[in-house]
């Protein structure tokens, strides 16, 4: 799950294939977003809390418009479930890790893969981006 930058909401992903947005002051669900074909394992919020990205067992990342709940685009290329994702601070790129043992860097506006990073011997289960956007781990 991920907390909005303004601290008022959180978005969570579930084995029920949905994302849900929650109001942190009331504890109530605000919105449900569906579109993945398998469990949602990771999500991140970016672009001044207007967009989210999620990764799933369906081997995709999906970008969402948080105002409408509609899918902006799907990012395909992983050969296994997507277990982790993070967005660079400027909101132009994301990184994801998968059961296919790779990390992939994505151009979010073009909806295209930029790089595939290989070297792990098993599932990549976590990733993060430096605050200054120069590196990912």
């Amino acid at each position: 799950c991920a907390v909005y930058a303004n601290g008022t909401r959180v978005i969570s992903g579930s084995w029920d294939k949905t994302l849900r947005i929650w109001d942190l002051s009331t504890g109530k669900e605000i919105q449900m977003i569906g579109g993945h074909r398998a469990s949602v394992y990771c999500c991140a919020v970016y672009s001044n809390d207007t967009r989210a990205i999620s990764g799933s067992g369906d081997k995709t990342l999906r970008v969402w418009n948080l105002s409408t709940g509609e899918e902006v685009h799907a990012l395909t290329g992983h050969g296994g479930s997507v277990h982790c994702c993070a967005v660079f601070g400027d909101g132009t790129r994301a990184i994801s890790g998968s059961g296919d043992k790779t990390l992939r860097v994505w151009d979010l506006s073009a909806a295209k893969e930029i790089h595939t990073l290989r070297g792990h011997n098993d599932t990549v289960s976590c990733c993060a981006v430096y605050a200054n956007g120069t590196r990912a781990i």
Side-chain angles (χ1 to χ4, degrees):
C1 60
V3 177
Y4 281 43
N6 67 16
T8 63
R9 296 178 180 179
V10 65
I11 187 169
S12 59
S14 173
W15 282 30
D16 68 6
K17 306 174 191 171
T18 68
L19 293 159
R20 294 180 192 254
I21 299 171
W22 307 88
D23 183 305
L24 289 174
S25 64
T26 66
K28 295 188 180 198
E29 180 183 322
I30 297 170
Q31 185 177 17
M32 181 188 73
I33 300 172
H36 279 290
R37 295 184 185 135
S39 301
V40 178
Y41 296 122
C42 59
C43 56
V45 177
Y46 68 100
S47 193
N48 295 319
D49 298 335
T50 64
R51 294 273 192 268
I53 188 169
S54 57
S56 168
D58 65 12
K59 304 177 187 177
T60 68
L61 287 148
R62 296 181 191 263
V63 175
W64 308 95
N65 178 322
L66 292 176
S67 298
T68 65
E70 293 183 15
E71 183 181 310
V72 176
H73 47 253
L75 305 173
T76 60
H78 276 297
S81 298
V82 180
H83 290 275
C84 58
C85 60
V87 178
F88 286 74
D90 63 4
T92 62
R93 295 170 294 154
I95 189 165
S96 58
S98 169
D100 66 6
K101 306 175 191 174
T102 68
L103 287 155
R104 295 178 193 252
V105 180
W106 307 89
D107 178 321
L108 293 175
S109 59
K112 292 187 177 183
E113 182 182 329
I114 302 169
H115 303 290
T116 300
L117 310 174
R118 300 184 198 305
H120 284 283
N121 295 318
D122 209 334
T123 298
V124 179
S125 59
C126 60
C127 60
V129 178
Y130 279 36
N132 66 9
T134 61
R135 294 185 179 155
I137 55 171

